[in-house]
Amino acid sequence: MATNTDVSALIRNQGDVIRALKSSGASQEQIDKEIAKLQLIKKEHDKDDKPQFSLKCAKGARDFDPQQMAVRDQLFSTITSCFKRHGAVTIDTPVFELKDTLTGKYGEDSKLIYDLQDQGGELLSLRYDLTVPFARYVAMNRIKQIKRYHIAKVYRRDNPSIQKGRYREFYQCDFDIAGQFDPMIPDSECIRVVAEILKELNLSDFVIKVNHRLLLDAIFSISGVSEANFRTVCSSVDKLDKISWEEVRNELVKEKHIPQETADKIGTYVNLSGDNSLLNKLQTDPLLSTNQNAQIAINELQLLYTYCQRLLIGQFVTFDMSLARGLDYYTGVIYEAVLIGGHKYEVGSVAAGGRYDGLVGMFDVKNRAVPCVGVSIGVERLFSIMEQKMKGEKIRTTETEVLVMSGEDGFLEQRLSCIAKLWEQNINAELFYKKSSKLLTQIQFCEKEFIPLGVIIATEEQKNGGVKIRNISTREDKFVRDEDMVLEIKAFLGNKKCS
Amino acid sequence: MATNTDVSALIRNQGDVIRALKSSGASQEQIDKEIAKLQLIKKEHDKDDKPQFSLKCAKGARDFDPQQMAVRDQLFSTITSCFKRHGAVTIDTPVFELKDTLTGKYGEDSKLIYDLQDQGGELLSLRYDLTVPFARYVAMNRIKQIKRYHIAKVYRRDNPSIQKGRYREFYQCDFDIAGQFDPMIPDSECIRVVAEILKELNLSDFVIKVNHRLLLDAIFSISGVSEANFRTVCSSVDKLDKISWEEVRNELVKEKHIPQETADKIGTYVNLSGDNSLLNKLQTDPLLSTNQNAQIAINELQLLYTYCQRLLIGQFVTFDMSLARGLDYYTGVIYEAVLIGGHKYEVGSVAAGGRYDGLVGMFDVKNRAVPCVGVSIGVERLFSIMEQKMKGEKIRTTETEVLVMSGEDGFLEQRLSCIAKLWEQNINAELFYKKSSKLLTQIQFCEKEFIPLGVIIATEEQKNGGVKIRNISTREDKFVRDEDMVLEIKAFLGNKKCS
């Protein structure tokens, strides 16, 4: 790139050129062409002149301001309550894992893993999800049974799209059940957890698409795909919620060299979806009925459906043969919740998960498996919708109950003494960090910040050994003696909370 | 390195050698020598045989199990309540920042910053603290005034010491006040926040050491340190809580080439500590009284002390000239809370902070400053002490209120129907993921996990259109009709909560 001095010289030269053209009576077209060149050079020059640092967040990451945090807290609290309702404990794991821990777990998505620079010592990567760290934790601690939730950030070097709610740093809220149990019972609970959260958030209607990895494998197998190609075909099929079957077929045939007739055969199955009756239809399909994997999968899905009905969530479940889930580690039932209707933009899946019976074993020297099933709530998309819904609403970002004020000079120390008494009694209180301010400004601050009560320190009341307390909404003042202040305030706030 | 096959051959050969020596009647010494060689080879072989991955957390990082999470939640909840009591909002920033954002902010500690690998795109580093990201946030959003707290993990490539509670990934809980205010008012509130949290945690007595960067600079200046060396001398002095003055003096003289008489002069000041009377003494010190910085600093500290007394925390404050705080960005008052007495091991500082009036300006093209003061709570050390105190205590890790049980076969679907009713009513409930289990096992699980209530589904009660509910602690059973079940359970749990 040209240095600043080079560019300045270029600008001067180009100026000379334009002036020469003008004085020689050249055509306007010719002159405009040279002016355009000058502007281009200047633009380049301005770029070089920018300050040495950029004042921004890393690409694909973002700050949350206090209003956003208030919305996010509301979302997390709904999710956490649900996880606790189902008896889950919580754990935490580091934001980075040994690079080897993540290797070979994510198939084609592995290229999106963030690595840390080798600064001596271990090679580390940022976690890509919470599932692999969970499996590592279970294996490392030789845990046979655990139901845990984990809410934390994960990292993907993906192409960010704010419109689609796709970030490089984002939260996952995971709920997983590990242990050797009778089939489909924990699986149906995971689906119930998704339904409960989406019902409670009440953002829109939703469906939970369900499929089975073994059924997909059976479809690939009877269509003529070799076992070695199952996973790569799977990640193409997984795109069916974003692109058409024609495009997926193209990718299979042209990029992945799957024969046309194989691709077409796959197409006849993966475009199927429906309720329980689809399972009955598949069970008697001439090709699938000869495939053992297909029969296992269909039996499991039928059992799952029965349990979901018992759990009062049967109406949300749709069997969808196009659901594939890109990740390598799934081994059984897979599911994905999608919001339907009433949205300005396509939000895609808002929760997804499935069974991964082999992952813990990958971390065990003796390959001891602990079967797992779980679900991850896609909070960023839910957050975007909530934010849109609450746009314009004034959201409270503090919990301040009292502002200790004075409209007169010279009362700073009294204000400090007063607020200390409130803090000692666990009352949420603030004061202006100024020696003097107008009383009106302080009262307006209370109104703006929804602070219900003011304590006003003034000469007159001080003489009588007390303060005024002001009900901000009614604008009523009341004199209270210093020794009664805390009790009076507590009584006022107590009534507030009950009303 | 030798391959496995090489090593196997070596072992076989060495075995042959030993056998040959034995049969030839060689001396025991000779044989032992060859056996030792064999053992060495075998050891090497075993090493090669280990799985290719290590099942561990990254060095200096750790997992938190459910019990630890319960303790941590308790700690965070105390801290968060205090921050909210003081009217702070909360924000969040990404775990990584542009590398440039962190450059030049931490002085000699900058070498401890984790960089991400350059995988194309921006150069990123993991945040080292929450203060610099906060300043970046304030500058980027042109904020003039904010009081915010932020609880999040930070990263330092430090030498980890579990005993000292020093990790490479650890939480910070920061409370900061940005804005142009009258002197020492927000500063005294930060100190009050520290005192409130430490009092409420009630782990041990504590003192809050206070000093002023300008006073330190004055001491360095009158001792003959050139301004360019202020910060490097400062980071040596900062070690006085860990090493003796003799060692610090050595570092100053031998490593940092400060003249001996300068070092000794510094020594006469930085070893001073005491209450308000120390400030009076320093104010009249012949050398310091001629130094403008010293006079500004002492006046501010005196004002701070007055406010701290008003805020009922004067008794916790000690002025300590050895307190320096290593970080570059402090510009005024600095403080650090230390626990005293009653500890098995030295925990060092548990909270620290100060005034940094220049940091936001460093992120502004026009260098517009926003004065800031704040404090960071060292939760890892507090967590270690809490964990030790609670050792042996049985800590509840779930909030389950009801276990839906059956001692008979064939009731799985009824259990699912029953638990769905409870979940619909927001009752925290679990069931065993088995088609059948012994009733005793289920009851024992309730006892172990502190679940207060059982719902027992059995043939007899089903015939009569209901279930038994079992009070786990009294072992009393009560028949309730299906339509009354939820209300009965709510009544029971409601009473539980009040008692």
Side-chain angles (χ1 to χ4, degrees):
Chain A
M1 186 190 273
T3 68
N4 277 354
T5 1
D6 289 346
V7 178
S8 305
L10 281 174
I11 290 174
R12 273 196 308 279
N13 279 347
Q14 189 64 15
D16 292 344
V17 169
I18 293 165
R19 271 184 295 279
L21 284 172
K22 279 183 180 166
S23 64
S24 72
S27 75
Q28 193 56 41
E29 197 189 14
Q30 231 179 331
I31 295 170
D32 283 349
K33 212 170 126 191
E34 295 302 323
I35 288 176
K37 263 196 211 166
L38 176 66
Q39 281 164 345
L40 215 74
I41 299 168
K42 275 191 173 162
K43 213 168 147 193
E44 191 61 29
H45 180 239
D46 287 343
K47 228 190 266 168
D48 285 347
D49 242 2
K50 272 205 313 193
Q52 284 310 296
F53 60 88
S54 5
L55 193 58
K56 65 184 284 291
C57 280
K59 189 180 171 190
R62 76 212 132 133
D63 298 322
F64 285 86
D65 67 26
Q67 302 249 336
Q68 291 173 313
M69 287 299 279
V71 178
R72 203 172 87 173
D73 279 357
Q74 208 177 305
L75 176 59
F76 282 175
S77 140
T78 302
I79 293 170
T80 307
S81 301
C82 176
F83 291 164
K84 285 183 177 172
R85 191 178 304 134
H86 290 262
V89 300
T90 187
I91 67 162
D92 193 22
T93 64
V95 81
F96 40 55
E97 293 280 342
L98 298 187
K99 191 175 160 61
D100 286 348
T101 299
L102 305 190
T103 304
K105 309 298 186 305
Y106 300 108
E108 296 180 8
D109 288 344
S110 296
K111 61 182 182 296
L112 303 180
I113 294 173
Y114 273 102
D115 292 327
L116 268 73
Q117 200 180 102
D118 182 3
Q119 295 173 292
E122 301 160 332
L123 292 181
L124 305 175
S125 301
L126 297 186
R127 60 182 165 211
Y128 181 87
D129 63 9
L130 302 176
T131 311
V132 169
F134 172 60
R136 194 262 306 144
Y137 175 85
V138 170
M140 199 170 121
N141 295 288
R142 303 266 171 108
I143 292 167
K144 295 268 157 279
Q145 234 172 270
I146 187 172
K147 174 161 58 183
R148 82 86 183 80
Y149 73 91
H150 191 185
I151 297 182
K153 287 174 175 177
V154 301
Y155 299 87
R156 299 184 184 179
R157 293 180 50 254
D158 212 338
N159 211 5
S161 158
I162 286 150
Q163 213 201 336
K164 291 184 184 164
R166 192 169 60 226
Y167 294 93
R168 290 181 160 194
E169 173 185 62
F170 57 97
Y171 265 98
Q172 282 194 337
C173 300
D174 280 22
F175 175 92
D176 293 80
I177 303 170
Q180 187 70 59
F181 301 116
D182 283 329
M184 296 302 110
I185 311 174
D187 312 58
S188 61
E189 185 169 7
C190 288
I191 296 177
R192 164 91 206 175
V193 161
V194 175
E196 261 178 49
I197 291 169
L198 294 180
K199 267 202 304 186
E200 199 171 330
L201 291 175
N202 194 27
L203 296 172
S204 89
D205 289 340
F206 59 92
V207 291
I208 302 172
K209 298 182 197 171
V210 177
N211 199 357
H212 199 295
R213 267 286 164 89
L214 290 185
L215 186 53
L216 277 171
D217 287 354
I219 290 168
F220 301 152
S221 169
I222 60 172
S223 302
V225 179
S226 71
E227 212 177 315
N229 282 331
F230 280 3
R231 289 286 75 79
T232 185
V233 171
C234 201
S235 38
S236 297
V237 170
D238 189 43
K239 296 175 186 167
L240 273 175
D241 58 338
K242 289 171 202 115
I243 58 176
S244 69
W245 166 248
E246 283 61 42
E247 289 167 284
V248 170
R249 187 185 177 281
N250 240 337
E251 181 174 311
L252 285 175
V253 173
K254 298 206 174 129
E255 289 176 35
K256 303 199 168 167
H257 311 294
I258 304 297
Q260 291 197 17
E261 55 278 21
T262 299
D264 290 334
K265 188 91 208 159
I266 294 172
T268 61
Y269 288 103
V270 297
N271 289 306
L272 297 174
S273 75
D275 62 11
N276 203 27
S277 61
L278 173 64
L279 297 180
N280 300 331
K281 201 179 123 194
L282 291 173
Q283 196 158 33
T284 53
D285 178 275
L287 284 169
L288 286 175
S289 62
T290 63
N291 183 293
Q292 209 191 343
N293 275 342
Q295 294 304 306
I296 293 172
I298 292 165
N299 283 337
E300 287 198 348
L301 291 177
Q302 278 169 333
L303 193 59
L304 181 74
Y305 190 71
T306 305
Y307 294 167
C308 283
Q309 282 180 306
R310 286 294 184 164
L311 292 180
L312 308 175
I313 49 165
Q315 71 272 32
F316 302 116
V317 171
T318 297
F319 296 100
D320 188 325
M321 296 304 106
S322 75
L323 177 70
R325 308 287 309 134
L327 300 176
D328 266 14
Y329 50 62
Y330 290 115
T331 53
V333 165
I334 48 181
Y335 34 81
E336 190 170 282
V338 186
L339 299 189
I340 44 172
H343 295 294
K344 285 177 194 150
Y345 57 86
E346 180 54 60
V347 291
S349 111
V350 292
R355 178 159 284 282
Y356 49 102
D357 287 346
L359 193 57
V360 173
M362 287 174 77
F363 291 108
D364 192 281
V365 193
K366 291 181 183 154
N367 204 31
R368 279 171 293 225
V370 179
C372 294
V373 63
V375 67
S376 183
I377 311 293
V379 276
E380 303 304 343
R381 286 167 178 181
L382 295 172
F383 173 75
S384 296
I385 302 168
M386 282 177 80
E387 228 191 343
Q388 277 198 329
K389 274 205 165 182
M390 295 169 88
K391 208 169 234 173
E393 267 179 55
K394 172 81 183 155
I395 301 160
R396 222 189 150 180
T397 55
T398 69
E399 296 179 12
T400 308
E401 298 164 310
V402 180
L403 187 70
V404 176
M405 321 186 248
S406 182
E408 304 170 46
D409 285 2
F411 281 125
L412 171 59
E413 291 192 30
Q414 286 83 343
R415 278 192 288 139
L416 290 171
S417 291
C418 173
I419 205 167
K421 274 192 213 165
L422 302 183
W423 288 333
E424 294 273 321
Q425 294 294 317
N426 290 332
I427 295 166
N428 299 355
E430 289 189 80
L431 82 174
F432 274 29
Y433 302 127
K434 296 275 186 182
K435 283 185 187 161
S436 69
S437 315
K438 284 194 184 123
L439 196 60
L440 185 62
T441 316
Q442 295 170 73
I443 288 169
Q444 284 169 338
F445 178 82
C446 290
E447 288 168 346
K448 191 171 144 273
E449 299 295 329
F450 308 103
I451 300 172
L453 197 72
V455 169
I456 304 172
I457 297 171
T459 310
E460 190 61 26
E461 283 74 17
Q462 288 282 289
K463 269 189 208 147
N464 298 320
V467 296
K468 268 193 293 195
I469 59 176
R470 152 84 53 119
N471 182 327
I472 298 296
S473 64
T474 67
R475 301 187 183 182
E476 284 168 333
D477 285 339
K478 180 183 178 183
F479 173 79
V480 299
R481 300 188 54 79
D482 286 335
E483 57 270 32
D484 304 327
M485 183 187 69
V486 165
L487 274 179
E488 287 272 355
I489 290 176
K490 281 194 171 175
F492 176 86
L493 297 173
N495 290 337
K496 266 271 161 200
K497 271 170 196 163
C498 291
S499 68
Chain B
M1 185 191 272
T3 67
N4 277 354
T5 359
D6 290 346
V7 179
S8 305
L10 280 174
I11 291 174
R12 274 198 307 277
N13 278 348
Q14 190 64 14
D16 291 343
V17 170
I18 294 165
R19 271 185 295 278
L21 284 173
K22 279 184 180 169
S23 65
S24 71
S27 75
Q28 194 56 41
E29 197 187 13
Q30 232 180 327
I31 295 170
D32 283 350
K33 213 170 124 190
E34 295 302 324
I35 288 175
K37 264 195 213 167
L38 176 65
Q39 280 161 346
L40 215 75
I41 298 168
K42 275 189 172 163
K43 214 167 149 193
E44 191 63 26
H45 180 240
D46 287 346
K47 231 189 266 167
D48 284 351
D49 243 3
K50 268 207 317 194
Q52 286 308 299
F53 60 88
S54 5
L55 193 59
K56 67 186 282 294
C57 279
K59 190 179 171 191
R62 76 213 131 129
D63 298 323
F64 285 87
D65 66 28
Q67 302 250 335
Q68 291 174 312
M69 288 299 279
V71 177
R72 203 171 87 173
D73 278 356
Q74 207 177 308
L75 176 58
F76 282 174
S77 140
T78 302
I79 293 169
T80 307
S81 301
C82 176
F83 291 163
K84 287 184 176 173
R85 190 178 305 137
H86 289 262
V89 300
T90 189
I91 66 161
D92 193 22
T93 64
V95 83
F96 40 54
E97 293 279 342
L98 298 186
K99 190 175 160 64
D100 285 350
T101 299
L102 305 190
T103 304
K105 309 298 186 305
Y106 301 107
E108 296 181 7
D109 289 343
S110 296
K111 60 180 184 296
L112 304 180
I113 294 173
Y114 274 101
D115 292 327
L116 267 73
Q117 200 179 105
D118 182 2
Q119 295 173 289
E122 300 160 332
L123 291 180
L124 305 174
S125 302
L126 296 187
R127 63 182 163 213
Y128 182 86
D129 63 10
L130 302 176
T131 311
V132 169
F134 172 60
R136 195 261 308 144
Y137 175 84
V138 170
M140 199 169 121
N141 295 288
R142 303 267 171 107
I143 292 168
K144 294 268 156 282
Q145 234 172 267
I146 187 172
K147 175 160 58 182
R148 83 86 182 81
Y149 72 91
H150 190 184
I151 297 183
K153 287 174 175 178
V154 302
Y155 299 88
R156 299 184 184 181
R157 292 180 48 255
D158 212 340
N159 211 2
S161 158
I162 287 150
Q163 212 200 338
K164 290 181 182 165
R166 191 167 61 226
Y167 294 93
R168 292 180 159 196
E169 171 184 65
F170 57 98
Y171 265 98
Q172 281 194 336
C173 301
D174 280 22
F175 174 92
D176 292 80
I177 302 170
Q180 188 71 57
F181 302 115
D182 283 329
M184 298 300 110
I185 312 176
D187 312 58
S188 61
E189 185 170 5
C190 288
I191 295 178
R192 166 88 206 177
V193 161
V194 175
E196 261 177 48
I197 290 169
L198 294 180
K199 267 202 305 188
E200 197 171 331
L201 290 175
N202 195 26
L203 296 172
S204 89
D205 289 339
F206 60 92
V207 291
I208 302 171
K209 300 182 197 170
V210 177
N211 200 0
H212 200 294
R213 267 285 165 89
L214 290 184
L215 187 52
L216 277 171
D217 287 355
I219 290 168
F220 301 152
S221 170
I222 62 173
S223 303
V225 179
S226 71
E227 214 178 312
N229 283 330
F230 280 4
R231 289 288 75 80
T232 184
V233 171
C234 202
S235 44
S236 297
V237 170
D238 189 45
K239 297 177 185 165
L240 273 175
D241 58 337
K242 289 173 203 119
I243 58 175
S244 68
W245 166 247
E246 282 62 43
E247 288 166 287
V248 170
R249 188 186 176 281
N250 242 336
E251 180 174 312
L252 286 174
V253 174
K254 297 206 174 132
E255 289 176 34
K256 304 200 167 165
H257 312 295
I258 303 298
Q260 290 197 15
E261 55 279 17
T262 299
D264 290 336
K265 188 90 206 161
I266 294 170
T268 61
Y269 288 102
V270 296
N271 288 306
L272 297 173
S273 75
D275 62 12
N276 203 29
S277 62
L278 173 64
L279 298 180
N280 300 332
K281 201 178 124 196
L282 292 173
Q283 195 158 36
T284 55
D285 177 276
L287 285 169
L288 286 176
S289 60
T290 64
N291 183 293
Q292 211 193 338
N293 276 340
Q295 294 303 307
I296 294 172
I298 292 165
N299 284 337
E300 286 198 349
L301 291 176
Q302 279 169 332
L303 193 59
L304 181 74
Y305 190 71
T306 306
Y307 293 167
C308 283
Q309 282 179 307
R310 287 292 185 164
L311 292 180
L312 308 175
I313 50 164
Q315 71 272 28
F316 301 118
V317 172
T318 298
F319 297 99
D320 188 325
M321 297 303 107
S322 74
L323 178 69
R325 307 290 305 139
L327 300 176
D328 265 17
Y329 51 62
Y330 290 116
T331 53
V333 165
I334 47 179
Y335 33 81
E336 190 171 283
V338 186
L339 300 189
I340 46 175
H343 296 295
K344 283 177 196 150
Y345 57 87
E346 178 57 57
V347 289
S349 112
V350 291
R355 179 159 282 284
Y356 50 102
D357 287 346
L359 192 57
V360 174
M362 288 175 78
F363 291 108
D364 191 280
V365 192
K366 292 179 184 159
N367 203 32
R368 280 170 295 224
V370 179
C372 294
V373 63
V375 67
S376 183
I377 311 293
V379 276
E380 302 305 341
R381 285 165 179 181
L382 295 171
F383 172 75
S384 295
I385 300 168
M386 281 176 80
E387 225 190 345
Q388 277 197 329
K389 272 203 165 180
M390 293 169 88
K391 207 170 234 171
E393 265 179 55
K394 171 79 182 157
I395 302 160
R396 221 188 151 180
T397 55
T398 68
E399 296 178 12
T400 307
E401 297 164 312
V402 179
L403 187 70
V404 176
M405 320 186 252
S406 183
E408 303 170 47
D409 285 3
F411 280 123
L412 171 59
E413 290 193 31
Q414 286 84 342
R415 278 192 288 138
L416 291 172
S417 291
C418 174
I419 205 166
K421 276 193 213 165
L422 302 182
W423 287 333
E424 293 275 320
Q425 294 294 317
N426 289 333
I427 294 167
N428 300 354
E430 289 188 79
L431 83 173
F432 274 28
Y433 302 126
K434 296 274 186 184
K435 283 188 190 160
S436 68
S437 313
K438 282 192 186 129
L439 196 59
L440 184 62
T441 315
Q442 296 170 74
I443 290 169
Q444 284 169 340
F445 178 81
C446 291
E447 287 167 345
K448 192 170 143 273
E449 300 295 329
F450 307 105
I451 300 171
L453 197 71
V455 169
I456 303 172
I457 296 172
T459 310
E460 190 60 26
E461 283 74 17
Q462 288 282 291
K463 268 188 214 152
N464 297 320
V467 296
K468 268 193 292 191
I469 60 175
R470 151 84 54 118
N471 182 327
I472 298 296
S473 64
T474 66
R475 302 190 182 180
E476 283 166 332
D477 286 340
K478 181 183 177 184
F479 172 79
V480 298
R481 300 188 54 80
D482 285 335
E483 57 270 32
D484 303 329
M485 183 186 70
V486 166
L487 275 180
E488 288 271 355
I489 289 175
K490 281 193 172 173
F492 175 87
L493 296 173
N495 290 337
K496 264 276 158 196
K497 271 169 196 163
C498 291
S499 67

